[in-house]
Amino acid sequence: MQLIDGKNIAARVKEEIAAEVASRVARGEKPPHLAALLVGNDPASETYVANKVKACRLVGIKSTQLRYPADITTEQLLDIVDHLNADPDIDGYIIQLPLPRHLPEELVLARVDPAKDVDGFHPLNIGKMTLGLPAYLPATPAGIVELIARQGIDTAGKHCVVVGRSNIVGTPVAILMSRKNARANCTVTLCHSRTPDIGAITRQADILVVAIGVPRFITAGMVKPGAVVIDVGIHRQPADTKTGYRLVGDVDFDTVAPLCSAITPVPGGVGPMTIAALLANTLQAATR
Ligand code: GUN
């Protein structure tokens, strides 16, 4: 069993980005500039945004964190989005999700200038991705494709089963893995909460991508021996550790890992690749 070391692979991607940023700056160009907009104070979102800002600093990308209270109105938020769209100093920006419940996520995301949409959440970018046209790809799916490719895993003709159909992960992963290119060419099955007997389908997977949001959902009996398993989940579970918790994925790692040809750990698998993909999109935004 190979452990897919996302932390290490992401570090290499980030080195490549840092070198590219440094050469831009040496040519007299300004460093790329990412803004991250955080509404409210969801603790997980605060951690994610802090990690993104830190990663920017490490590769020489300028970042600006914008914080607004949870009771901001839709009109106020749309006004902020319009200002970010018009600000020539900002190459790309993200709106950390989830937004507080009273804010219309679809409307807000559709207001983002597609050219600055480094999260790849705008309908135009999702449409281009689906057609195989150049677009900003959503960070987690792009990170997963990069991880599989850099691990040297052959995907052509393989059966890729995706568990979970969210707009952010499952649906775009299913689209990307089925595209006609050297990093994809899979036969794809997308399972979700209404799929009866998910195990019968996951047991057919050569490549299993799990983004269902349920701790340890995938157990040993649901995995074909020799499969490649990519675990997108990350959950805190109470444990007898120094912090009082431990992080687990959507896959029951301890029982599934011995069966796999390769598997991502949690933490240190998909998470670091998501951030690396966001940095790559930001560099691309500055280059356009
Ligand atoms: N919330 C969970 N994942 C993401 C992400 O990739 N981008 C943003 N903006 N919000 C998220």
Side-chain angles (χ1 to χ4, degrees):
M1 185 271 293
Q2 286 181 328
L3 201 59
I4 304 175
D5 187 348
K7 203 171 161 188
N8 191 272
I9 294 172
R12 278 190 273 140
V13 174
K14 285 189 274 187
E15 277 168 22
E16 292 164 17
I17 293 168
E20 178 68 26
V21 171
S23 80
R24 283 175 57 87
V25 172
R27 288 198 301 268
E29 294 169 38
K30 72 176 189 63
H33 185 181
L34 173 76
L37 204 154
L38 180 59
V39 182
N41 36 27
D42 174 63
S45 291
E46 297 209 9
T47 306
Y48 292 141
V49 169
N51 287 340
K52 290 170 185 177
V53 166
K54 184 173 155 209
C56 282
R57 196 166 55 238
L58 287 174
V59 299
I61 290 177
K62 181 178 168 189
S63 64
T64 300
Q65 199 177 328
L66 303 164
R67 298 196 60 150
Y68 296 95
D71 62 358
I72 191 172
T73 66
T74 300
E75 289 67 34
Q76 286 169 325
L77 183 55
L78 291 175
D79 196 46
I80 293 159
V81 168
D82 288 341
H83 277 94
L84 289 169
N85 288 342
D87 185 340
D89 193 56
I90 290 172
D91 297 302
Y93 68 96
I94 63 164
I95 300 167
Q96 188 64 33
L97 303 180
L99 288 171
R101 291 245 294 264
H102 69 282
L103 295 167
E105 201 165 283
E106 280 173 24
L107 185 72
V108 174
L109 293 179
R111 188 77 155 240
V112 174
D113 178 351
K116 293 191 174 190
D117 172 39
V118 288
D119 252 335
F121 291 167
H122 189 283
L124 185 72
N125 282 317
I126 296 169
K128 285 182 174 176
M129 171 189 73
T130 306
L131 295 172
L133 299 171
Y136 295 114
L137 301 181
T140 300
I144 290 169
V145 170
E146 191 73 32
L147 191 60
I148 292 172
R150 290 197 184 224
Q151 186 71 18
I153 293 163
D154 192 17
T155 54
K158 299 287 168 63
H159 187 189
C160 176
V161 174
V162 181
V163 184
R165 59 177 157 185
S166 71
N167 290 342
I168 292 183
V169 185
T171 296
V173 166
I175 291 166
L176 291 175
M177 294 307 288
S178 63
R179 297 304 311 168
K180 187 174 183 175
N181 66 62
R183 308 169 131 213
N185 283 326
C186 285
T187 303
V188 172
T189 304
L190 180 58
C191 305
H192 47 73
S193 54
R194 297 294 180 92
T195 305
D197 196 1
I198 287 186
I201 296 168
T202 57
R203 274 192 294 277
Q204 299 171 34
D206 303 308
I207 300 171
L208 180 60
V209 181
V210 191
I212 190 90
V214 179
R216 296 187 173 133
F217 179 81
I218 297 291
T219 51
M222 299 169 80
V223 177
K224 178 168 78 173
V228 171
V229 174
I230 308 293
D231 187 353
V232 184
I234 185 152
H235 314 273
R236 274 187 185 193
Q237 289 210 320
D240 195 12
T241 60
K242 224 168 30 187
T243 51
Y245 66 87
R246 80 175 183 129
L247 295 173
V248 301
D250 288 355
V251 175
D252 184 29
F253 184 90
D254 294 342
T255 61
V256 170
L259 287 171
C260 301
S261 62
I263 185 169
T264 57
V266 175
V270 171
M273 291 303 294
T274 295
I275 293 196
L278 173 66
L279 300 176
N281 281 352
T282 304
L283 177 58
Q284 188 187 327
T287 311
R288 89 191 132 85

